[in-house]
Amino acid sequence: MKNRKILRVTACLMILPLLSGCWTLVAAGAGAYGGYKMKENGYTLQNPITKEKSKKSSQ
């Protein structure tokens, strides 16, 4: 009985590092999607983040 508990704890500790990479990919995907949606609304990635102005000829 005690061996099964030790085996379960060991398995959980071995799986934990594998899941950390998955969470990194999920966070990167969410950031990319957010950037894509901002670009659709006219925002650009600059410092600071600003909305694109419509280009008018100054003649």
Side-chain angles (χ1 to χ4, degrees), residues 16-31:
L16 190 62
L18 297 174
L19 292 177
S20 66
C22 294
W23 289 113
T24 304
L25 290 175
V26 168

Side-chain angles (χ1 to χ4, degrees), residues 22-56:
C22 294
W23 289 113
T24 304
L25 290 175
V26 168
Y33 180 75
Y36 175 76
K37 291 308 251 181
M38 286 180 67
K39 184 69 174 175
E40 279 185 350
N41 291 329
Y43 289 93
T44 59
L45 294 176
Q46 296 176 349
N47 192 7
I49 296 175
T50 57
K51 194 168 186 176
E52 288 181 353
K53 298 175 184 173
S54 60
K55 296 180 181 180
K56 295 180 182 177

